[in-house]
Amino acid sequence: MHIGLLFYTDSLVLQNQTQKLNGRGMANLGFLKALLQYKAEHSVSLLVSGHWEKQIVQEQVFSPHQNSCPIITFSELSKFLKEKPLQALHYPSPDLYRAFEIKKLNPTPMAVTGVTHSLGSAPFLEWLYLSLLASPQATDALICTSPAAVKVLRKLQSEITHAFDLNPLATPQIPLAIHCADFQKTPAHNLYPEFPQEEFVLLYLGRISLFTKCDLKPLLIVFRELIKRSPKKSRLILAGACEEEAYLEDLSAYSHSLGINSQISFKKNPSEELKKSLLQRAQVFLAPNDNPQETFGLSILEALASGLPIVAADWNGYKSLIENEKEGFLIPTLIPSHLDFMGETAALQIDAMNHLYFSQSTATDLEIFTEKILSLITNEELRQDMARQARQKSSAYDWSQVIPQYLDLWENLSQQNIPVKNKSTGAVKERLYTLNYHQIFSHYATQVLTEEDSFQISPLGQEALQGNIPLENPPSLDEFLPVDAVLQVLQMGGKGFRVADLSSISQGEFILMWLYKYGFVKRVS
């Protein structure tokens, strides 16, 4: 099977971004590397926007000892697909309509899949509309990472498809994954000599954000009660990506007001090495999340693989990753049935504020939260048993177990070449097209270029041919303005030429317009 991966580098966590602990980016990078490493009878081609992204991937994604795969830029895509058609195309994002554009270029039927990440944002609803309007076929699916995500998709799709007579996307469930072995090694260095070994360490690891993750002040209240009731001296570590400095300062001030600041440590933007060291040093992992943007919980997998009992809110994807009283405890959460002001203004409000309103009206039972953590502090046998079950549970979420699920799905979808028909008319649905810029915006210009328009070299172009002035262009246009082709068009201008004469030159009209834009050629009436 020939599999295409549509990747944009902003969907990956690259070497200079790892300190941000971006769950989506880390998951996408892990998926890409795992698929390339997995030993199976398939070939993979990476599809990127241009040469600059190709260079980034070559330098930062593929290690020197790793077998890379073909990296195809969009300008090369049409020719490449004619020679090597795809059987499946995967885009690790929920805006699936982008991938449908490639389906039009592929000469044979193929499966198209995307994957959910955060679902609680207005852009996702817009992407879903566009994807459904593009008439998904039986070969197409939006992979959900958790049962919670499946339910969100089914609720949204049932309303949209009914209202507009559209067919829904399939919503198979495949989880995210990690390389479990990476979290089961003992760190080479002790990064926390300042923490006495007798301290019982509780760890929160995730974004430190009131708007996009959770409110950590209730956790500070729980910790204050634990200090009073625990027979052991405890330390709470709050670690993770932090771009809201004001919130971090607020948490620090709040811990001072509660009188617990001496037993709390903040670790902002930890490196991967430091993150793994924290997971090894901690004895219990805490996840009090309450935000609608959370769908899966990659940090939960990392904690499971590290052998940590987990005390987490009974929330979204966490429900499917933790079995209560097995690998840890799920703490009951409560939300209101509705909030009038949110329902009336959600479409007008920015996502960050909608997330804040929703999460601030979500409550986790703090009394039960405190009691469950206390039971793990005081009962070593329980803690060790849950740690063992946590490691055992994590093995199901290793990439070696998850990649085969993708391969099976692509194989099954690629065989479902059944045209989707309109429910009411029975006619086969046509795909909607995205912006055709030169058609839709043609009236912006005075006139449109025709094959009969004529050009010749200008005095400035003569200087360029003689090497007196440079033919410079933005680096991102290198693939469309190859030096040999640019010089060829300039040389043709010596005798003059029509636009039709450029038919044998790849991207000939683009080269012509660039030369005309910079004054290297001039129009001939």
Side-chain angles (χ1 to χ4, degrees):
M1 175 181 286
H2 184 197
I3 302 161
L5 296 180
L6 176 59
F7 261 93
Y8 298 93
T9 51
D10 66 356
S11 69
L12 303 172
V13 169
L14 302 174
Q15 290 173 11
N16 62 343
Q17 300 173 322
T18 52
Q19 75 277 10
K20 294 184 179 179
L21 294 178
N22 180 308
R24 170 176 171 256
M26 293 295 288
N28 287 343
L29 184 59
F31 168 81
L32 171 58
K33 291 186 174 182
L35 183 64
L36 295 176
Q37 292 171 357
Y38 188 76
K39 305 300 182 184
E41 294 182 0
H42 67 267
S43 60
V44 177
S45 296
L46 200 61
L47 314 181
V48 300
S49 66
H51 283 176
W52 65 278
E53 280 207 322
K54 180 175 182 177
Q55 183 176 355
I56 290 174
V57 171
Q58 288 172 328
E59 292 176 353
Q60 297 202 40
V61 176
F62 298 130
S63 58
H65 60 276
Q66 184 184 43
N67 292 327
S68 61
C69 66
I71 305 176
I72 312 301
T73 65
F74 291 169
S75 63
E76 305 163 329
L77 192 55
S78 182
K79 180 181 178 182
F80 175 76
L81 294 177
K82 289 176 183 177
E83 297 173 355
K84 297 181 179 179
L86 298 173
Q87 282 74 56
L89 173 68
H90 181 67
Y91 178 35
S93 184
D95 41 335
L96 197 56
Y97 67 94
R98 295 177 182 271
F100 288 155
E101 292 300 300
I102 296 176
K103 200 162 193 173
K104 295 186 300 190
L105 301 175
N106 203 61
T108 58
M110 69 174 182
V112 175
T113 58
V115 64
T116 60
H117 286 290
S118 175
L119 300 178
S121 61
F124 172 72
L125 186 58
E126 295 164 8
W127 297 340
L128 183 60
Y129 269 110
L130 289 171
S131 298
L132 294 174
L133 286 170
S135 300
Q137 306 294 301
T139 52
D140 309 325
L142 185 53
I143 298 168
C144 298
T145 57
S146 66
V150 173
K151 290 183 178 180
V152 170
L153 261 294
R154 287 179 178 172
K155 288 177 182 178
L156 288 174
Q157 287 199 113
S158 65
E159 295 183 13
I160 297 171
T161 55
H162 176 73
F164 297 99
D165 191 24
L166 299 171
N167 291 85
L169 281 159
T171 55
Q173 182 191 328
I174 300 178
L176 298 179
I178 59 174
H179 290 291
C180 292
D182 292 345
F183 296 89
Q184 294 168 353
K185 301 173 185 175
T186 301
H189 306 286
N190 178 13
L191 299 178
Y192 284 103
E194 76 270 28
F195 290 173
Q197 287 300 312
E198 63 269 17
E199 283 191 336
F200 192 96
V201 174
L202 306 167
L203 173 64
Y204 165 85
L205 180 62
R207 281 191 302 279
I208 300 176
S209 170
L210 181 63
F211 293 95
T212 65
K213 198 67 173 182
C214 64
D215 188 352
L216 291 171
K217 283 186 177 179
L219 183 58
L220 298 183
I221 294 171
V222 168
F223 186 59
R224 181 173 182 265
E225 185 65 20
L226 285 170
I227 291 175
K228 294 179 181 178
R229 297 169 57 183
S230 174
K232 297 182 180 179
K233 184 177 181 179
S234 300
R235 175 166 298 277
L236 174 62
I237 301 177
L238 303 177
C242 180
E243 296 179 356
E244 299 170 23
E245 291 290 341
Y247 182 55
L248 191 64
E249 293 171 3
D250 188 26
L251 289 173
S252 179
Y254 194 62
S255 69
H256 275 78
S257 68
L258 294 177
I260 59 176
N261 55 290
S262 64
Q263 289 172 252
I264 293 182
S265 298
F266 294 94
K267 299 298 177 182
K268 183 176 69 173
N269 300 326
S271 65
E272 276 295 295
E273 181 185 14
L274 183 52
K275 180 180 79 171
K276 291 171 184 175
S277 183
L278 286 169
L279 287 164
Q280 291 292 327
R281 176 63 182 87
Q283 280 120 317
V284 173
F285 189 86
L286 307 178
N289 300 46
D290 55 19
N291 198 286
Q293 68 81 36
E294 187 73 70
T295 308
F296 182 75
L298 203 61
S299 62
I300 298 294
L301 293 190
E302 296 172 347
L304 290 171
S306 301
L308 288 180
I310 299 170
V311 184
D314 188 26
W315 191 249
N316 55 61
Y318 295 179
K319 296 171 180 283
S320 61
L321 297 177
I322 304 165
E323 186 176 352
N324 191 37
E325 299 187 351
K326 292 284 188 178
E327 303 87 22
F329 298 105
L330 290 172
I331 309 305
T333 54
L334 185 67
I335 64 171
S337 61
H338 68 282
L339 292 175
D340 288 341
F341 76 93
M342 276 198 71
E344 294 166 355
T345 64
L348 305 175
Q349 190 56 269
I350 61 173
D351 287 331
M353 293 309 299
N354 280 329
H355 292 170
L356 180 64
Y357 297 152
F358 184 84
S359 60
Q360 286 297 303
S361 64
T362 299
T364 302
D365 191 309
L366 299 189
E367 184 176 349
I368 296 178
F369 206 155
T370 303
E371 289 178 355
K372 295 305 182 184
I373 299 173
L374 189 61
S375 70
L376 288 168
I377 293 175
T378 57
N379 189 334
E380 183 174 356
E381 183 179 352
L382 173 64
R383 192 169 68 248
Q384 294 300 326
D385 183 55
M386 285 188 167
R388 176 186 57 78
Q389 293 190 76
R391 289 193 182 91
Q392 184 178 343
K393 182 70 167 285
S394 70
S395 62
Y397 296 94
D398 190 89
W399 279 119
S400 63
Q401 302 300 312
V402 172
I403 290 296
Q405 297 178 48
Y406 275 90
L407 295 173
D408 289 343
L409 176 65
W410 291 329
E411 188 69 44
N412 292 333
L413 288 175
S414 66
Q415 298 173 10
Q416 303 296 318
N417 188 29
I418 305 171
V420 173
K421 298 183 179 182
N422 188 288
K423 294 177 182 176
S424 56
T425 66
V428 176
K429 289 192 173 185
E430 296 293 332
R431 294 189 181 278
L432 297 182
Y433 287 79
T434 51
L435 285 176
N436 182 326
Y437 281 86
H438 287 89
Q439 178 187 54
I440 295 171
F441 299 102
S442 61
H443 60 284
Y444 278 26
T446 306
Q447 61 187 113
V448 177
L449 192 70
T450 72
E451 289 192 344
E452 299 305 314
D453 285 331
S454 298
F455 292 80
Q456 67 180 37
I457 196 168
S458 69
L460 192 66
Q462 292 285 5
E463 288 189 66
L465 271 182
Q466 294 165 7
N468 296 329
I469 59 173
L471 287 166
E472 292 185 348
N473 57 270
S476 56
L477 294 179
D478 284 346
E479 61 191 294
F480 302 104
L481 296 168
V483 175
D484 291 346
V486 171
L487 292 175
Q488 182 182 351
V489 175
L490 268 183
Q491 290 164 351
M492 290 171 61
K495 296 181 179 180
F497 61 88
R498 296 178 309 137
V499 174
D501 299 331
L502 301 175
S503 59
S504 62
I505 300 176
S506 178
Q507 307 298 339
E509 287 193 21
F510 185 86
I511 294 171
L512 167 63
M513 292 306 299
W514 183 82
L515 289 170
Y516 182 49
K517 181 182 184 72
Y518 281 83
F520 295 120
V521 298
K522 60 183 180 180
R523 294 183 72 182
V524 179
S525 57

